[in-house]
Amino acid sequence: MARCLKVAVLAPMRQVFDYHAPAGPDADELIGCRVRVPFGKGSRLGVIVEVGEASLSAERIKNVTELIDQTPLLPGSLLALALWAADYYCHPPGEVLAAVFPLELRRGEAPRESLEDAWVATAAGQQALSNGTRLGVRQAHVLGLAAGEALRASGLSTLPFDARRVLRELTERQWLCAVRVPPVAAIGTESLEAFLDLNDAQALACAAVLEAADRYRTYLLEGITGSGKTEVYLHLARAMQAGGRQTLVLIPEIGLSEQLVRRFQRRFGSQVALLHSDLSDRERALVWERCRVGEVAILIGTRSALWTPLSNLGLVIVDEEHDASFKQQEGFRYSARDIAVMRARQDGIPVVLGSATPSLESESNVRRGKYTRLRLPERTAGAIPPVLRGLDVRSLPLTGGLSDALCKAMDQVLTEGQQVLLFLNRRGYAPLVMCHACGWIARCERCDARLVLHRESGRLSCHHCGAGRNLARQPVTCCPQPMPMTLGVGTEQVEEALNQRFPGRRILRIDRDSMRRKGQFEAACAAVLAGEVDILLGTQMLAKGHDFPEVTLVGIVDADSRLFATDFRAAERFAQLVIQVAGRAGRGSKPGLVLIQTHHPDHPVLRTVLESDYPDFVALGLAEREAAGLPPFTAMAVIRAEAGQQALPTEFLSGIRRATKSLVAAEVRLAGPVPATMERRAGKFRAVLMVSAERRGALADALLKILKAIEESPLRHRVRWHIDVDPEEAG
Ligand code: ADP
Ligand code: ZN
């Protein structure tokens, strides 16, 4: 049989397709190039992934319509990584590759030449500056900058405000003119911030990584917040840069990693590039290309930055490696942390996973000798670690969720001029609204969920599908004389209670409702740091990233909802959260106190977290997982299905189970199908089938059989289904 090109079409297709190679270039050199190919009635974009034996007779194979790239855009190792990931996560290779390319390249456009957008002041602009024309503060600032050297797009992030609107205004008035300039290769070191001298533990950690910098090895850099992990990253990146090698830094969320990003920018200037979801498609494509051709020394980005070609990658860093947001939860469900480790392995380079509270997966890898632990034992400034204490609130009066004991502790801290941080992971006013007259409860019509009262916006809304209603237009009309009342508390209600209990104190609420606009969260954090806030109240957003040295008391308003969450990772998430929140508090000479309100002071997880260290919790958590046969002691995947009809998903999954049960290895456990934790969501009924095995290979083999059974299932077009390998939740 003839040799032909195997093309992964950028579409949800599990197989690759055969095409004739164009005459001329050596086919093997084309692996990784984009092509346009005839497909069905039209044409599609695809990537050549292999050259091999044709699986059809030569006359049935079509020619490629267009060879878009003359040389591959993806280095062979990145292509191999994408195909490996497609296999590992049972996802169509074309869709995985679609996630690798920025949108413009996915559409078949040529790579953006690596010119950078910039702005220069026009003559009229210069005049406006000098002749006293009235300008806004921001306008004057931006115009002033552009009147000197060209103001580069890459420099905008160092401005203290979002400059895009100002740039538009000034361009409209023809005071600024857009130009494209070559990116700066390096900037003078004199303007850059100096590196700190490492303490002993930091120096040891750096040396360990750098000693074996030409080999693959995964390091777990463990140290509490403030122990100096970021400084280690900075030193490692500098060593890489000095050797002409690139560093890839993965972070959970851009908004929450501001401080880390700024520190890299202050040290490395324009050698740093950022990739995250707030960028436009154009900006992404530009950064991608600059990285590909090697103009960037350090790339910092969220999940998808993992897929950026870096011609001379020398080190991968994953900060806050335990963070759940490294796992993509829709479409191509992959763990950026895990693939980052694989990437380092393929490239033969070190990878550093940093965390104050490592995931149980990474902990178990250390125990099995697969990862090397590096520990930063103390806070750099020699500060005292926070004290954690449970606050038994059983039968105590609670106002807006707050006990008197907590409020008294707050009084004391506030009197001393320090700040308080309260944590409650529930937005809105109250999570349950019912009618005292008839017992009616406000429920979502499309989900098995209750509607949450949002008083500020006057809405009852569903936190799962977004549906809801406006109370002004559709008041509660469940019975002739409705008497609506609420149960439970959300952040809005705590804020109300705080305003009553602490009049005159400056209270700031931080959640997705109060921080809708871009830049608002950063401004809020700046206000806290500037001492303009006394009491800070917020959700998950507060638990990560930002350090607040003047906060000396942290109150966790409701630990119970977390302790009793059903999922197998609930305990791990709880312990991480408490320790992360605690890590935000107290610095320098002021120790922090963390008070955790609970109705279950004897809960084993809570007690372990309170009475001992994270390592003790890890031991407990791992023992429980092992006894229950859960990850990381087993490899797990879940097959989820959903449909408008309640019986269908279960029927579909039962069929899959029946068809595969006798084919899979004896060690493979199939559990379910069972209804999902929330069976109905956004109008669809959902069910899950769990698959687990002690050996990864047995799971992979079972998944192949399951995929085959799905392809043969008569119900497959009547349900939506997906496979989630290494799921965050089993439900
Ligand atoms: P982490 O990333 O673990 O939270 P950081 O690297 O941010 O820790 O360090 C915490 C604080 O200590 C920062 O303010 C940092 O500037 C300072 N710091 C870190 N390393 C050193 C060092 N070797 N000498 C002096 N200060 C340091
Ligand atoms: Zn809903």
Side-chain angles (χ1 to χ4, degrees):
M1 283 247 165
R3 273 159 64 82
C4 69
L5 303 179
K6 306 272 175 186
V7 173
V9 172
L10 301 189
M13 225 75 67
R14 289 188 181 267
Q15 69 273 51
V16 294
F17 297 90
D18 290 354
Y19 292 93
H20 287 306
D26 180 358
D28 289 306
E29 306 279 302
L30 296 180
I31 294 173
C33 287
R34 295 171 301 156
V35 282
R36 198 176 296 285
V37 291
F39 195 80
K41 291 199 174 66
S43 78
R44 288 280 195 149
L45 210 75
V47 175
I48 302 170
V49 295
E50 204 187 321
V51 177
E53 297 281 294
S55 52
L56 304 167
S57 58
E59 60 280 5
R60 292 181 58 199
I61 298 179
K62 295 179 178 157
N63 289 315
V64 303
T65 317
E66 184 193 354
L67 179 64
I68 299 173
D69 306 315
Q70 303 307 314
T71 51
L73 291 183
L74 291 186
S77 59
L78 199 53
L79 177 67
L81 187 71
L83 296 176
W84 172 84
D87 246 21
Y88 183 93
Y89 291 103
C90 291
H91 203 73
E95 274 202 341
V96 174
L97 286 166
V100 169
F101 288 109
L103 186 69
E104 295 187 342
L105 297 177
R106 227 180 299 158
R107 288 211 213 97
E109 290 167 33
R112 250 178 207 284
E113 48 176 327
S114 60
L115 288 180
E116 188 184 353
D117 286 333
W119 293 265
V120 293
T122 60
Q126 305 266 16
Q127 220 168 19
L129 268 181
S130 56
N131 69 8
T133 307
R134 279 189 52 143
L135 291 167
V137 181
R138 293 177 177 188
Q139 288 188 331
H141 187 72
V142 168
L143 194 54
L145 289 175
E149 283 174 26
L151 175 61
R152 293 166 177 279
S154 57
L156 297 180
S157 57
T158 57
L159 293 176
F161 50 86
D162 183 7
R164 277 184 272 193
R165 198 169 54 96
V166 182
L167 287 169
R168 205 165 49 239
E169 290 163 2
L170 293 172
T171 313
E172 274 163 16
R173 302 181 77 162
Q174 307 205 340
W175 287 345
L176 278 189
C177 160
V179 292
R180 309 203 61 209
V181 295
V184 258
I187 69 170
T189 43
E190 64 275 34
S191 62
L192 300 180
E193 187 182 83
F195 281 75
L196 303 173
D197 290 330
L198 297 179
N199 62 32
D200 291 346
Q202 288 172 319
L204 271 176
C206 272
V209 177
L210 293 176
E211 249 167 47
D214 55 350
R215 279 197 298 273
Y216 159 71
R217 183 85 214 155
T218 304
Y219 299 92
L220 180 64
L221 180 62
E222 189 182 348
I224 55 169
T225 312
S227 60
K229 296 184 294 297
T230 309
E231 195 62 37
V232 171
Y233 304 156
L234 290 161
H235 277 256
L236 289 174
R238 179 171 68 165
M240 286 296 143
Q241 187 196 26
R245 311 209 57 183
Q246 296 165 302
T247 300
L248 169 64
V249 185
L250 295 180
I251 51 174
E253 282 166 69
I254 193 73
L256 304 178
S257 302
E258 277 268 317
Q259 289 173 342
L260 177 139
V261 169
R262 287 201 189 284
R263 262 165 84 186
F264 269 90
Q265 284 174 330
R266 286 202 304 268
R267 299 284 172 91
F268 297 99
S270 63
Q271 292 276 294
V272 181
L274 294 181
L275 260 188
H276 53 83
S277 54
D278 285 352
L279 297 183
S280 68
D281 292 328
R282 253 184 88 176
E283 289 168 314
R284 274 176 168 279
L286 179 66
V287 171
W288 201 84
E289 183 60 8
R290 287 187 60 207
C291 289
R292 190 178 79 85
V293 299
E295 284 173 2
V296 166
I298 294 156
L299 175 65
I300 307 180
T302 45
R303 219 165 41 217
S304 65
L306 164 72
W307 298 111
T308 312
L310 290 153
S311 45
N312 205 2
L313 184 62
L315 172 70
V316 181
I317 293 168
V318 182
D319 189 35
E320 309 283 1
E321 65 90 26
H322 63 278
D323 199 288
S325 54
F326 284 119
K327 179 77 193 275
Q328 178 146 306
Q329 301 282 15
E330 59 195 20
F332 171 30
R333 293 170 165 78
Y334 68 95
S335 156
R337 176 197 61 206
D338 295 349
I339 303 184
V341 170
M342 196 59 188
R343 184 168 181 177
R345 195 161 137 181
Q346 279 198 350
D347 285 8
I349 56 172
V351 48
V352 176
L353 310 179
S355 178
T357 51
S359 62
L360 294 186
E361 274 77 8
S362 296
E363 283 286 349
S364 116
N365 279 324
V366 170
R367 286 165 192 228
R368 287 190 285 152
K370 288 173 74 181
Y371 294 1
T372 305
R373 190 194 306 275
L374 302 172
R375 197 174 255 137
L376 299 183
E378 291 145 28
R379 291 187 173 197
T380 48
I384 312 146
V387 175
L388 279 66
R389 200 170 294 152
L391 206 58
D392 183 358
V393 295
R394 280 177 297 185
S395 74
L396 292 183
L398 297 174
T399 316
L402 306 174
S403 64
D404 201 42
L406 178 57
C407 290
K408 287 212 171 96
M410 290 171 65
D411 277 330
Q412 192 179 353
V413 165
L414 292 169
T415 315
E416 287 164 15
Q418 293 153 12
Q419 294 170 321
V420 176
L421 186 159
L422 294 181
F423 178 85
L424 176 64
N425 209 21
R426 202 183 291 127
R427 294 183 292 128
Y429 189 83
L432 192 149
V433 177
M434 73 177 228
C435 173
H436 193 42
C438 74
W440 167 90
I441 289 176
R443 293 179 202 277
C444 178
E445 287 171 8
R446 310 174 66 225
C447 307
D448 293 331
R450 293 164 181 149
L451 295 177
V452 178
L453 174 63
H454 288 254
R455 256 212 193 150
E456 255 169 33
S457 58
R459 282 177 67 81
L460 279 174
S461 73
C462 173
H463 284 192
H464 302 281
C465 71
R469 55 196 228 203
N470 190 323
L471 281 171
R473 267 185 272 136
Q474 287 172 284
V476 171
T477 52
C478 45
C479 60
Q481 273 155 334
M483 300 166 67
M485 61 178 276
T486 65
L487 288 176
V489 293
T491 47
E492 283 183 13
Q493 194 173 156
V494 178
E495 185 184 23
E496 181 186 81
L498 289 173
N499 277 317
Q500 279 164 10
R501 175 68 172 70
F502 300 93
R505 294 292 182 188
R506 296 159 302 177
I507 296 159
L508 177 66
R509 194 183 98 223
I510 294 192
D511 56 31
R512 282 221 314 277
D513 300 316
S514 68
M515 299 285 136
R516 277 184 193 284
R517 274 177 288 118
K518 192 170 147 52
Q520 235 174 342
F521 180 62
E522 289 71 32
C525 291
V528 177
L529 289 175
E532 291 157 14
V533 172
D534 299 314
I535 304 173
L536 183 61
L537 157 72
T539 54
Q540 191 78 28
M541 287 179 99
L542 277 186
K544 306 182 192 172
H546 284 259
D547 302 340
F548 301 117
E550 298 303 317
V551 168
T552 51
L553 173 65
V554 173
I556 295 181
V557 178
D558 172 23
D560 300 343
S561 59
R562 294 249 167 179
L563 284 174
F564 291 95
T566 50
D567 206 76
F568 77 92
R569 287 185 207 272
E572 179 185 354
R573 296 279 170 240
F574 175 79
Q576 288 166 343
L577 175 90
V578 170
I579 292 165
Q580 294 279 339
V581 177
R584 305 290 150 226
R587 267 317 143 77
S589 54
K590 286 171 281 186
L593 172 64
V594 182
L595 294 176
I596 303 173
Q597 295 197 138
T598 179
H599 290 87
H600 301 272
D602 294 324
H603 192 289
V605 171
L606 181 61
R607 295 218 10 206
T608 313
V609 171
L610 288 178
E611 289 164 14
S612 42
D613 271 344
Y614 189 68
D616 292 309
F617 164 75
V618 168
L620 174 78
L622 284 176
E624 278 182 8
R625 297 269 189 94
E626 184 163 24
L630 287 165
F633 297 94
T634 53
M636 183 198 258
V638 296
I639 329 289
R640 301 197 185 90
E642 62 172 52
Q645 273 171 282
Q646 186 162 13
L648 266 181
T650 309
E651 216 177 296
F652 167 75
L653 292 174
S654 299
I656 303 306
R657 186 191 165 122
R658 268 196 309 277
T660 43
K661 186 76 193 121
S662 62
L663 303 176
V664 299
E667 69 174 282
V668 174
R669 257 179 51 199
L670 294 168
V674 291
T677 314
M678 180 185 297
E679 183 178 13
R680 200 169 50 111
R681 181 167 180 168
K684 299 275 194 257
F685 292 90
R686 312 179 306 151
V688 295
L689 177 65
M690 274 161 276
V691 196
S692 57
E694 231 164 79
R695 284 178 311 122
R696 175 69 54 186
L699 176 73
D701 180 63
L703 289 176
L704 283 180
K705 305 222 156 84
I706 284 172
L707 266 177
K708 185 143 186 300
I710 291 176
E711 267 162 35
E712 287 163 4
S713 163
L715 294 177
R716 76 180 184 285
H717 293 305
R718 298 178 59 199
V719 298
R720 282 186 52 167
W721 60 271
H722 69 253
I723 297 181
D724 189 350
V725 179
D726 304 336
E728 269 307 303
E729 293 173 20

